[in-house]
Amino acid sequence: MKTIDELLAEGVAGKRVFVRADLNVPLDGTTITDDGRIRAVVPTIAKLAEAGARVVVASHLGRPKGAPDPAFSLAPAATRLGELLGAGVAFATDTVGESATATVAGLADGQVAVVENLRFNPGETSKDDAERGAFADRLAELADVYVGDGFGAVHRKHASVYDLPARLPHYAGYLIATEVGVLKKLTTDVERPYAVVLGGAKVSDKLGVIDHLLERADRILIGGGMAYTFLKAQGHEVGSSLLQEDQIPAVQEYLRRAEEKGVEFVLPVDVVVAPSFPDLKTKAPAHPTTVAADAMPAGQMGLDNGPETNKLYASKLADAATVFWNGPMGVFEHPDFADGTRAVAQALVDSPGFSVVGGGDSAAAVRILGFDENAFGHISTGGGASLEYLEGKTLPGLAALED
């Protein structure tokens, strides 16, 4: 995999460099609520612009249905990128149409443009190779060189991620190089003890990574909505908590394999419950109570790890040499149910080992809860991509950058 440093050594002045970034940021209307992914790609874009490249930045945002939708416009992201670069950024109101063509043609050396949301075009996400390829052909007309730096999208076989690199000289940007280097630390020559913390809503989303990590991790700590399927698999009442009953046999098999392999599987010993899911807009009090994990009342919903679980998990992470965390421990967006996620984040900060926050909601929680990002070894920009890499899957966007 060639890197951007090799490209810069070859010289980029006057060249049109297509940067596939990940500007898929959360929006409240047109207000960006977390600009972490934009900040993550700034070093690559800034370095190319400083070297005289004409930088064409492209990304998706949200899940529009293959047609323009103002709610998913990249205009706010383009504005924020310009602020972070300290320079004006041109914005094309389409991706491969007249506006994009004219905007790119108007760039001078060292200038940057963002084209509109790639997913406004059905060819971007098409499962038909010919349709995707046709869209990639049109994207290729905008550039002389391709730089892949959208780590959060490399697990997608999309035109701008997988097909376009085959049509242009291609290189990995700084963000992708960093992300891959970190993930290798989690899969090869791992420093031990190796602890993994998995949370989030659905256990089905994590089955593949649990299966893979049972061969590698020393401890696996479970929280979030997925924990209640594990507790149910042990025969406990889980009330009205999130539950995937169809996954109970698989969960029971993982618990059996973990015991067989000597992998420590750690589940909550107490949980914070409430009568119903909280109102995340008003943050109205949810009247929580704490109960033992094996004594949940039938009419209550588990929404966070309890204080004894928080202490237990902190103790299991205190001596870990390597920690990977993906998925919140509870409904961290509400103050009544943020303590479990906060406790895990603090345990990673306190841990002397190498700590990785695996993107997605975990990365958002770290920022929302006010932690210093520099206190962690690495905060990934791609939750889904990180998990699929840890599952041992081939990621299309990384494969496309290989020579």
Side-chain angles (χ1 to χ4, degrees):
M1 185 184 293
K2 291 184 178 180
T3 68
I4 187 175
D5 285 331
E6 294 173 83
L7 171 60
L8 291 166
E10 295 167 9
V12 294
K15 291 183 179 179
R16 300 170 302 163
V17 180
F18 187 104
V19 177
R20 202 326 180 166
D22 181 10
L23 309 181
N24 184 28
V25 291
L27 294 172
D28 182 2
T30 59
T31 301
I32 297 170
T33 58
D34 180 359
D35 68 354
R37 284 176 168 166
I38 303 176
R39 287 186 285 111
V41 77
V42 164
T44 290
I45 295 170
K47 198 73 172 180
L48 288 167
E50 288 168 10
R54 302 177 182 191
V55 186
V56 183
V57 182
S59 176
H60 72 284
L61 191 151
R63 295 181 180 272
K65 301 186 184 301
D69 183 339
F72 297 105
S73 175
L74 277 174
T79 299
R80 181 59 181 146
L81 177 62
E83 293 169 352
L84 292 167
L85 290 170
V89 169
F91 182 66
T93 56
D94 56 28
T95 304
V96 290
E98 292 181 4
S99 179
T101 301
T103 300
V104 173
L107 289 175
D109 293 1
Q111 291 185 332
V112 178
V114 173
V115 297
E116 187 54 285
N117 193 336
L118 290 160
R119 291 188 183 176
F120 287 178
N121 302 269
E124 169 67 3
T125 59
S126 175
K127 298 193 183 302
D128 181 80
D129 292 348
E131 186 177 11
R132 260 196 349 268
F135 182 52
D137 287 340
R138 296 190 67 190
L139 289 172
E141 294 173 2
L142 299 175
D144 306 303
V145 181
Y146 178 93
V147 172
D149 215 28
F151 180 74
V154 293
H155 58 314
R156 307 294 188 191
K157 193 176 181 180
H158 290 170
S160 66
V161 175
Y162 178 76
D163 302 272
L164 183 56
R167 289 157 167 77
L168 295 169
H170 47 269
Y171 303 80
Y174 291 126
L175 175 60
I176 278 186
T178 298
E179 295 272 14
V180 171
V182 166
L183 288 169
K184 285 182 177 178
K185 289 185 179 182
L186 300 176
T187 52
T188 58
D189 300 321
V190 181
E191 289 193 38
R192 299 186 178 280
Y194 179 16
V196 176
V197 186
L198 296 175
K202 295 181 179 180
V203 69
S204 56
D205 293 341
K206 304 292 197 302
L207 288 179
V209 74
I210 292 172
D211 184 69
H212 209 64
L213 289 171
L214 279 173
E215 305 295 330
R216 291 163 176 77
D218 299 300
R219 299 170 194 150
I220 300 177
L221 287 61
I222 302 293
M226 62 184 285
Y228 301 101
T229 300
F230 279 88
L231 292 171
K232 185 71 171 181
Q234 291 185 325
H236 302 310
E237 170 67 52
V238 296
S240 57
S241 306
L242 186 63
L243 174 65
Q244 289 185 283
E245 290 204 54
D246 61 322
Q247 301 298 330
I248 287 177
V251 165
Q252 290 172 331
E253 174 62 14
Y254 285 137
L255 291 171
R256 186 197 65 78
R257 282 176 55 197
E259 185 174 3
E260 181 182 274
K261 293 177 176 296
V263 176
E264 189 177 6
F265 229 101
V266 188
L267 298 175
V269 295
D270 63 344
V271 294
V272 181
V273 300
S276 61
F277 197 84
D279 188 323
L280 300 184
K281 287 190 175 181
T282 65
K283 305 290 195 298
H287 309 293
T289 56
T290 300
V291 299
D294 60 358
M296 287 184 62
Q300 297 284 307
M301 176 182 291
L303 295 164
D304 196 14
N305 286 347
E308 293 305 314
T309 301
N310 295 340
K311 292 176 188 175
L312 173 64
Y313 284 17
S315 72
K316 297 297 183 182
L317 300 175
D319 67 340
T322 305
V323 182
F324 173 73
W325 170 34
N326 180 279
M329 297 293 99
V331 186
F332 71 91
E333 301 92 338
H334 192 286
D336 288 343
F337 308 106
D339 286 349
T341 302
R342 183 181 291 107
V344 166
Q346 187 62 53
L348 264 66
V349 170
D350 295 340
S351 170
F354 179 64
S355 59
V356 178
V357 180
D361 286 341
S362 310
V366 163
R367 299 183 183 108
I368 289 170
L369 296 176
F371 285 89
D372 179 358
E373 294 180 44
N374 295 320
F376 301 89
H378 179 70
I379 298 179
S380 178
T381 58
S386 295
L387 288 176
E388 290 199 15
Y389 190 100
L390 292 180
E391 287 179 40
K393 291 183 177 179
T394 297
L395 305 188
L398 297 185
L401 294 176
E402 298 286 355
D403 290 308

